[in-house]
Amino acid sequence: MIRFQTAQEAEDAFYDALEERDQTKMMAVWDDSPDIALLLPMQALVTGGKVRDLLRDLLRSDMELELQIKHIQWVEIGELAIHYVEEQPEGPPGSAVPPLYAVNIYRRRGESGWTMILHQNAPAPPPPGAMPPGMSIPPRVG
Amino acid sequence: MIRFQTAQEAEDAFYDALEERDQTKMMAVWDDSPDIALLLPMQALVTGGKVRDLLRDLLRSDMELELQIKHIQWVEIGELAIHYVEEQPEGPPGSAVPPLYAVNIYRRRGESGWTMILHQNAPAPPPPGAMPPGMSIPPRVG
């Protein structure tokens, strides 16, 4: 099993695996515990083995998986590292594809290095003025 | 400063503060560090003091903030607790409002108890068949 010496190495491998659509590299990034979770926009949250199933589907899909990553903030607490990042999908020259925002959590497994335990991302904000401030939870129905 | 003896107590206070639109209770739930982060659907990720600004806007908005919470999974690692939850907005009787999925992270601060460091939620999945499996990242443009 490939392990990573830093959370950043695990993160680089995660985004490389997405871009290269490399199933083996992707699977090696994740922790071998039922604690792992994946939450993608417009998907139900999945945990444990279902994370790997959803990742396989994602790598096989025709989605744009080449993302420019910009770090917003890193937090390291005990054996966990939380990375807040902006994911910018590549688009054709001159296009303005909005970014996604992601939270990635990594766990230090002693000598064997770092693994990913959570990836969650969220859709980009709408254009200015399209939604009122705080608009995030479905409005009252009826 | 109010602190909570368990991560669950902090979580209960968070959702009570949303439902009651109680600014004081909401602010007491969160950690006093620049490490905190908030990611709501269709919003940019915010960290530190901007988390409190966005929460204030949210509590003042007319969004539906009464949510039925269902725990999907809990993970406690060192001084952090990660809760994966389903948030079901209340709707009129007979309506079928789709759930949101959230990840909440709490930090144990020694004797002073638990505080929230991350809240992130994501839109509900679309109706079956509306999107292909793995559809989560904007499709290739052009």
Side-chain angles (χ1 to χ4, degrees):
Chain A
M1 178 64 76
I2 304 163
R3 295 293 190 198
F4 306 95
Q5 294 308 302
T6 65
Q8 188 54 52
E9 282 180 30
E11 185 154 274
D12 291 345
F14 172 75
Y15 287 107
D16 285 350
L18 277 181
E19 184 168 335
E20 298 161 12
R21 296 176 187 273
D22 184 326
Q23 299 276 2
T24 304
K25 185 180 283 189
M26 176 59 80
M27 295 306 145
V29 170
W30 288 79
D31 200 66
D32 292 318
S33 81
D35 297 340
I36 61 174
L38 178 62
L39 181 52
L40 301 176
M42 311 311 289
Q43 297 274 348
L45 184 145
V46 295
T47 61
K50 289 178 182 167
V51 169
R52 294 174 191 274
D53 295 341
L54 183 54
L55 287 167
R56 282 188 198 100
D57 288 347
L58 182 65
L59 294 181
R60 286 189 195 118
S61 75
D62 60 358
M63 295 304 100
E64 170 62 86
L65 300 179
E66 293 187 36
L67 305 169
Q68 292 291 328
I69 304 308
K70 182 176 154 191
H71 286 94
I72 298 174
Q73 197 160 318
W74 294 358
V75 183
E76 199 168 317
I77 298 174
E79 59 194 287
L80 293 185
I82 307 174
H83 289 198
Y84 306 128
V85 305
E86 187 180 295
E87 301 175 341
Q88 178 65 60
E90 301 218 343
S95 69
V97 180
L100 293 96
Y101 293 91
V103 176
N104 298 321
I105 306 183
Y106 305 90
R107 178 176 193 167
R108 190 176 53 228
R109 289 285 197 185
E111 293 297 306
S112 60
W114 291 81
T115 55
M116 193 170 218
I117 64 168
L118 172 77
H119 172 70
Q120 178 176 13
N121 65 6
M131 294 174 89
M135 176 71 184
S136 62
I137 292 177
R140 187 182 294 274
V141 178
Chain B
M1 180 62 77
I2 304 163
R3 294 294 189 198
F4 305 96
Q5 294 309 303
T6 64
Q8 188 53 51
E9 281 181 30
E11 185 153 275
D12 291 345
F14 173 75
Y15 287 107
D16 286 351
L18 276 182
E19 185 169 335
E20 298 161 13
R21 296 176 186 274
D22 185 325
Q23 299 275 2
T24 305
K25 185 180 283 188
M26 178 58 81
M27 295 306 145
V29 170
W30 287 80
D31 200 66
D32 293 318
S33 81
D35 296 339
I36 62 175
L38 179 61
L39 181 52
L40 301 175
M42 312 311 289
Q43 298 274 348
L45 184 145
V46 296
T47 61
K50 289 180 181 167
V51 169
R52 294 174 190 275
D53 295 340
L54 183 54
L55 288 166
R56 282 188 197 98
D57 288 347
L58 182 66
L59 294 181
R60 286 189 195 118
S61 74
D62 59 359
M63 295 303 102
E64 170 63 86
L65 300 179
E66 293 186 36
L67 305 168
Q68 293 291 329
I69 303 307
K70 182 176 154 191
H71 286 93
I72 298 174
Q73 196 160 318
W74 294 357
V75 183
E76 200 170 317
I77 298 173
E79 59 194 288
L80 293 186
I82 307 174
H83 289 198
Y84 305 129
V85 306
E86 187 181 295
E87 302 175 341
Q88 178 66 59
E90 300 218 342
S95 69
V97 181
L100 292 96
Y101 293 91
V103 176
N104 298 321
I105 306 184
Y106 306 90
R107 178 176 192 166
R108 190 175 53 229
R109 287 286 196 184
E111 293 297 308
S112 61
W114 290 82
T115 55
M116 193 170 217
I117 63 168
L118 172 77
H119 172 70
Q120 179 177 12
N121 66 7
M131 293 174 89
M135 176 72 183
S136 61
I137 293 178
R140 186 182 296 272
V141 178

